[in-house]
Amino acid sequence: MRFAGLVIRTGVPLPPASGPVRLAMMHQDGVTALRESMSLYGQCCRSISLTWGLSSAHLPSWTSTTEEIYRRGLWTMSAQRDFLIRVWSQARRQLRANIAALTSPSPWSIGPPTSDRWSHRQYMAMARSLHIPHDTRQLVDPWRDLETAARTSLARAVDAYNFLEDSELSELAHRHAHHVAALVGGLFDCNIEYSDDTYWDVCRLTLMHSRWGMSAGFTATRNCSLCGQDIDYCPHLLDTRYDVTVRHDADGACNVCGSRSCSHTVGETVSAFPRSVMSEVQLHEVSWVSRPRDPLARFTKIELSQEVLRHGLGEDPTGRDVCCYRCLHPCSGFDHLPNRD
């Protein structure tokens, strides 16, 4: 079996291997990712409802479809899939029709069509949060922008769970990821990737439920995020907060949190823990572990065998596009590495 993934991030602060500082950093990064994901998800849903006229009553959700599956007693994957495709296809067709109707030029109007001002502002807020170039006089590509918002929200939702897995917010992050993934798969579709004559599982939600990652054996230079000196010799202690003047490096990363898009303003003074920022990394070996040092060191795609595909599809797809609906289904639980003891 082949796979691809992130071994370790460089140029950003990483939490220590253990201890209270690790817990604090994981919680902070997880809450930040969860807030960003929830904000984008909320903006996307509001835009769908208020700007494009698909009411919340006609927009399915992961919770509502899961409850309906159990109520109807749909226990086989094929029965669940048929029901989910039908429900989400109706919403997708209606949303596309609404967007087409609202963005098509009217013979009685002069200039680009717009919805009411408040709804239009909601759409533009979502576009700005994604740094989408736009002309404030008209909407560029609403369907693409909605899809970008939903997929960005899903990526951050998965990041949030990877940070918050061992915290009291884990179940909240888990359920939120299901809600966002259902919106992505239900409205915008997800295909199993086909490259190098192989099908690959690239579903973010499915991969999130495989609770293992990669631990790298490497050598690197560890610098202090606050002063830039070797962290073993600089005066800053990892478990102590310091008043720091916010600045960005040449790549735009914040010296306080390591993010390239955060709420910290250059020049302001904030209280922060010092963090280890790695550079000049030399990789020696990689191991599979249940709790990687870097919480985001996870698989990004895993090879799907022909046997698995034939079992799921009833035939060999032989290079054809294969649509994936797993993110719409009820949660089937997590997979964990076997206990070596």
Side-chain angles (χ1 to χ4, degrees):
M1 180 182 69
R2 293 179 294 171
F3 59 89
L6 176 67
V7 174
I8 195 167
R9 293 172 293 160
T10 61
V12 298
L14 293 178
S18 60
V21 175
R22 177 178 176 83
L23 295 178
M25 292 177 64
M26 297 271 280
H27 185 271
Q28 177 179 319
D29 290 342
V31 169
T32 298
L34 189 58
R35 284 175 175 167
E36 291 176 2
S37 175
M38 287 182 167
S39 176
L40 270 179
Y41 176 70
Q43 289 172 6
C44 188
C45 290
R46 285 193 297 274
S47 183
I48 289 171
S49 177
L50 300 173
T51 305
W52 305 116
L54 182 66
S55 68
S56 56
H58 294 93
L59 180 63
S61 71
W62 178 72
T63 295
S64 65
T65 56
T66 296
E67 290 175 350
E68 188 65 14
I69 283 173
Y70 291 148
R71 189 186 71 81
R72 296 188 181 199
L74 305 177
W75 305 121
T76 66
M77 290 293 289
S78 60
Q80 292 179 10
R81 183 179 64 245
D82 292 344
F83 164 74
L84 291 165
I85 292 175
R86 183 173 67 253
V87 169
W88 280 101
S89 294
Q90 292 172 354
R92 180 168 59 249
R93 285 194 299 268
Q94 186 61 57
L95 179 59
R96 277 197 175 277
N98 290 0
I99 291 176
L102 288 168
T103 55
S104 298
S106 167
W108 306 105
S109 65
I110 299 176
T114 59
S115 51
D116 65 86
R117 291 182 179 179
W118 191 87
S119 299
H120 185 74
R121 287 198 300 271
Q122 290 292 312
Y123 174 87
M124 300 312 295
M126 182 187 74
R128 283 193 299 271
S129 69
L130 293 168
H131 308 290
I132 295 173
H134 57 270
D135 183 342
T136 56
R137 296 170 298 175
Q138 60 182 342
L139 308 179
V140 180
D141 187 343
W143 188 263
R144 182 202 63 192
D145 294 347
L146 287 171
E147 181 176 359
T148 300
R151 293 191 187 278
T152 303
S153 175
L154 176 57
R156 293 302 281 155
V158 172
D159 288 348
Y161 184 80
N162 286 330
F163 283 121
L164 299 171
E165 178 179 12
D166 296 315
S167 78
E168 70 281 1
L169 296 176
S170 62
E171 185 55 25
L172 173 64
H174 172 222
R175 292 184 64 84
H176 173 66
H178 271 287
H179 277 277
V180 184
L183 185 74
V184 170
L187 291 184
F188 307 109
D189 289 335
C190 295
N191 284 337
I192 296 175
E193 179 184 311
Y194 183 74
S195 60
D196 300 325
D197 297 324
T198 302
Y199 284 95
W200 301 88
D201 183 0
V202 294
C203 175
R204 287 184 177 273
L205 188 75
T206 302
L207 295 174
M208 186 192 83
H209 283 75
S210 298
R211 298 316 302 161
W212 53 75
M214 288 175 279
S215 178
F218 63 94
T219 55
T221 301
R222 298 167 60 247
N223 298 321
C224 174
S225 61
L226 303 186
C227 65
Q229 301 178 32
D230 189 316
I231 200 166
D232 292 326
Y233 300 102
C234 80
H236 300 114
L237 302 177
L238 290 176
D239 59 353
T240 303
R241 286 184 177 272
Y242 297 89
D243 289 337
V244 185
T245 300
V246 178
R247 56 178 173 78
H248 290 168
D249 63 18
D251 295 325
C254 173
N255 66 319
V256 174
C257 63
S259 173
R260 289 175 175 80
S261 58
C262 63
S263 59
H264 299 125
T265 303
V266 173
E268 72 173 327
T269 300
V270 299
S271 177
F273 289 107
R275 301 185 182 193
S276 174
V277 179
M278 293 187 300
S279 62
E280 301 177 12
V281 176
Q282 294 185 345
L283 184 65
H284 302 298
E285 57 87 17
V286 178
S287 302
W288 286 17
V289 295
S290 58
R291 296 292 190 277
R293 163 73 181 276
D294 181 349
L296 303 188
R298 308 282 177 171
F299 296 113
T300 55
K301 64 180 185 180
I302 297 177
E303 181 180 9
L304 293 171
S305 68
Q306 294 297 322
E307 291 74 16
V308 169
L309 291 168
R310 280 194 293 267
H311 176 75
L313 302 173
E315 60 179 344
D316 191 335
T318 60
R320 291 180 286 114
D321 288 342
V322 179
C323 197
C324 174
Y325 300 104
R326 286 172 297 174
C327 55
L328 307 181
H329 286 262
C331 182
S332 57
F334 293 93
D335 294 324
H336 298 274
L337 281 177
N339 193 334
R340 295 180 180 178
D341 297 334

